[in-house]
Amino acid sequence: MPAHNRFLEGPFAPVTEEITAFDLPVTGRLPAELNGRYLRNGPNPLGLDDPNYHWFLGAGMVHGVRLRDGRAEWYRNRWVRSKAVAAQHGEKWPGGPVHENTDFAANTHIISHGGRTLATVEAGPLPYELSGELDTIGPCDFGGTLPGGFAAHTKLDRRTGELHAIAYFWAWDHVQHVAVGADGKVARTTDIPVADGPMMHDFALTHSYVVLLDLPVTFSLNAVTAGMELPYVWNPAHQARVGLLPRDGGSGVRWIEIEPCWVFHCLNAYDEGGKVVVDLCQYNQSFDVSTLWSAHGPVTLDRWIIDPAAGKITQQRLDDRGQEFPRVDDRVISRPHRYGYSAVIGEVTRAITAAGDFGDDAFSNAILRHDLAAGTVEAHEFGREATAGEAVFAPSSADSAEDDGYVMAFVHNPDRGAADLVILATQDFTADPVARVHLPARIPLGFHGSWIPDQ
Ligand SMILES: [Fe+2]
């Protein structure tokens, strides 16, 4: 255990205030077609006094910027009011369902589905529903239709309108595939038996399959006894494997064994001639998630081509530069993509590195735009102090082509000591940002977000 906690310092340090600011100053010109809200979730602990604080366990705080008609109408940041967070604010908890006593201020992602804005988290707790202005409405079990906990990462198939998730929980002998209909009610669940209680942070979706990543980071009672706040450790005895769950419900899961590795995030996946293509960010060596500072670099962007008939997976390296938080244009989820966006976040790389074996360029801050058909990558660099977060794509119109639009991210502005919402034109990616919305406060490094256009 380090003498200080790197996840409470510098660009990770939590903010202490909830702010509401209107008519934000903008450098450049905000595209008038961007009408909606950019929301991002992340951990923001209420105090600095826990030396064992794990980055994944800080109370969720959602930061949002409202864009309309070429103006930045507001910025808000709000803690998600779990029971504990409400009590610490001296407020009445809104109340609602709780799964297995796991109430938690969901801190990992924020999405919109079935008319709800949901802050999500994995490993047991329910999502929290927020209002359009980020006030907590309460925990959400999809109107009583969700049997267990939910998941941080979801995939919306725009063809069917269904939102897919993989839920896991330490006390289960299975993980659970959940499909939520466009009406915001769980349409069906499928239990998939697994050994050892694996962490499944993300998964992939194609038209034919739900792609499961059963990797050797598993629940550990020893880690609980040792006081680890997030008791998921590297477990070399757990066979790494990839599973294909047919979406039509037929014939069980096709499992294919692989070499041990760790994956937090998939870029996207699709079917291709009887095979399944999955692009993902891969940790190529062991990674103990219970401590986090055990990663070996770089974290590469790789393509796995899964052949279910042959029971084989072939792997291609798409980009060997250290990167994380891969995203596509959400409209292409589960079908072939050409473009992807990912983030190089120097401070995160530094914080999770065990042996310092990442290359120097991993310590810069950049957003990458991959053209996977051309095999090219463009980097929009922000500079060493300008920590950038996940980049989210916003189309220029509902029916524009893939990659016709903008990517947006919170980027620290060292000159002001506060964050900017940076908006880049995808088709002029390395040029100056189209717009920088100057926010009134710093935003700690966090996790995932969404562009939620007005309906
Ligand atoms: Fe994630």
Side-chain angles (χ1 to χ4, degrees):
M1 189 69 60
H4 59 93
N5 190 315
R6 64 190 79 182
F7 295 101
L8 293 172
E9 299 175 345
F12 294 96
V15 295
T16 55
E17 279 186 290
E18 295 183 324
I19 293 172
T20 305
F22 297 101
D23 292 324
L24 308 164
V26 176
T27 299
R29 197 159 152 266
L30 272 175
E33 63 267 36
L34 292 180
N35 289 294
R37 294 170 296 148
Y38 170 67
L39 308 181
R40 198 219 69 187
N41 204 347
N44 197 97
L46 285 122
L48 298 172
D49 49 1
D50 178 5
N52 297 320
Y53 169 68
H54 191 292
W55 190 33
F56 291 4
L57 295 179
M61 177 181 273
V62 177
H63 301 260
V65 178
R66 204 315 176 205
L67 305 181
R68 196 196 316 254
D69 299 332
R71 291 178 300 117
E73 273 192 354
W74 53 253
Y75 163 77
R76 285 178 161 86
N77 64 316
R78 296 289 184 273
W79 271 287
V80 175
R81 260 53 172 191
S82 64
K83 209 170 196 172
V85 171
Q88 279 165 299
H89 282 83
E91 298 171 3
K92 186 172 180 297
W93 182 56
V98 176
H99 172 240
E100 295 282 356
N101 206 26
T102 58
D103 180 54
F104 181 73
N107 68 4
T108 312
H109 210 321
I110 180 147
I111 60 168
S112 173
H113 185 69
R116 296 184 180 101
T117 301
L118 296 172
T120 61
V121 69
E122 67 206 56
L126 295 174
Y128 263 86
E129 183 178 358
L130 307 186
S131 75
E133 297 185 341
L134 309 185
D135 296 318
T136 298
I137 294 171
C140 172
D141 62 0
F142 301 99
T145 60
L146 180 71
F150 199 56
H153 283 279
T154 56
K155 312 284 178 201
L156 177 66
D157 182 340
R158 280 163 201 263
R159 226 178 16 139
T160 62
E162 281 188 336
L163 183 77
H164 295 256
I166 299 292
Y168 71 93
F169 183 52
W170 66 272
W172 289 355
D173 61 0
H174 59 275
V175 297
Q176 185 172 71
H177 170 237
V178 180
V180 185
D183 61 357
K185 294 194 170 76
V186 174
R188 63 192 178 281
T189 61
T190 306
D191 290 353
I192 301 132
V194 293
D196 306 323
M199 170 178 272
M200 287 196 191
H201 181 69
D202 197 5
F203 66 102
L205 186 73
T206 74
H207 282 184
S208 303
Y209 297 106
V210 177
V211 184
L212 301 152
L213 302 172
D214 182 6
L215 303 176
V217 172
T218 64
F219 181 78
S220 163
L221 270 176
N222 286 340
V224 175
T225 308
M228 303 305 293
E229 294 195 348
L230 188 79
Y232 283 86
V233 304
W234 184 255
N235 177 3
H238 185 81
Q239 173 64 55
R241 56 184 190 159
V242 174
L244 300 177
L245 171 70
R247 279 177 63 181
D248 63 10
S251 69
V253 179
R254 174 80 163 102
W255 290 106
I256 300 169
E257 296 186 355
I258 59 170
E259 292 298 312
C261 68
W262 177 244
V263 175
F264 275 122
H265 299 122
C266 298
L267 174 70
N268 189 37
Y270 52 90
D271 301 313
E272 189 174 69
K275 296 179 182 169
V276 173
V277 178
V278 187
D279 291 349
L280 45 74
C281 285
Q282 180 175 195
Y283 296 74
N284 294 274
Q285 299 179 43
S286 65
F287 187 19
D288 181 352
V289 175
S290 72
T291 63
L292 270 189
W293 52 89
S294 64
H296 308 264
V299 186
T300 49
L301 182 66
D302 293 345
R303 172 163 292 178
W304 291 358
I305 301 170
I306 306 169
D307 183 340
K312 271 181 53 181
I313 298 179
T314 53
Q315 182 169 312
Q316 301 168 2
R317 183 128 306 160
L318 299 176
D319 189 4
D320 60 7
R321 182 172 181 171
Q323 58 198 281
E324 253 286 8
F325 296 94
R327 293 291 294 259
V328 283
D329 179 337
D330 286 344
R331 298 172 301 173
V332 305
I333 286 172
S334 79
R335 63 187 182 84
H337 57 273
R338 174 169 179 177
Y339 301 96
Y341 318 96
S342 57
V344 179
I345 311 176
E347 289 293 340
V348 172
T349 306
R350 194 195 319 272
I352 67 170
T353 303
D357 54 0
F358 285 83
D360 275 352
D361 70 343
F363 298 113
S364 64
N365 293 288
I367 294 174
L368 308 181
R369 172 179 177 265
H370 301 274
D371 179 340
L372 298 165
T376 56
V377 54
E378 291 179 288
H380 192 106
E381 304 270 356
F382 292 103
R384 195 179 172 94
E385 304 298 319
T387 49
E390 178 191 58
V392 170
F393 178 80
S396 55
S397 68
D399 56 359
S400 66
E402 183 191 2
D403 189 58
D404 178 356
Y406 306 91
V407 292
M408 45 183 78
F410 290 137
V411 179
H412 186 65
N413 184 331
D415 296 337
R416 298 193 307 111
D420 290 340
L421 173 63
V422 169
I423 299 176
L424 305 176
T426 47
Q427 296 178 3
D428 196 4
F429 194 70
T430 56
D432 284 343
V434 171
R436 275 183 178 263
V437 181
H438 302 297
L439 307 180
R442 198 173 62 74
I443 295 181
L445 283 171
F447 299 139
H448 305 285
S450 297
W451 167 247
I452 302 174
D454 295 340
Q455 294 304 311

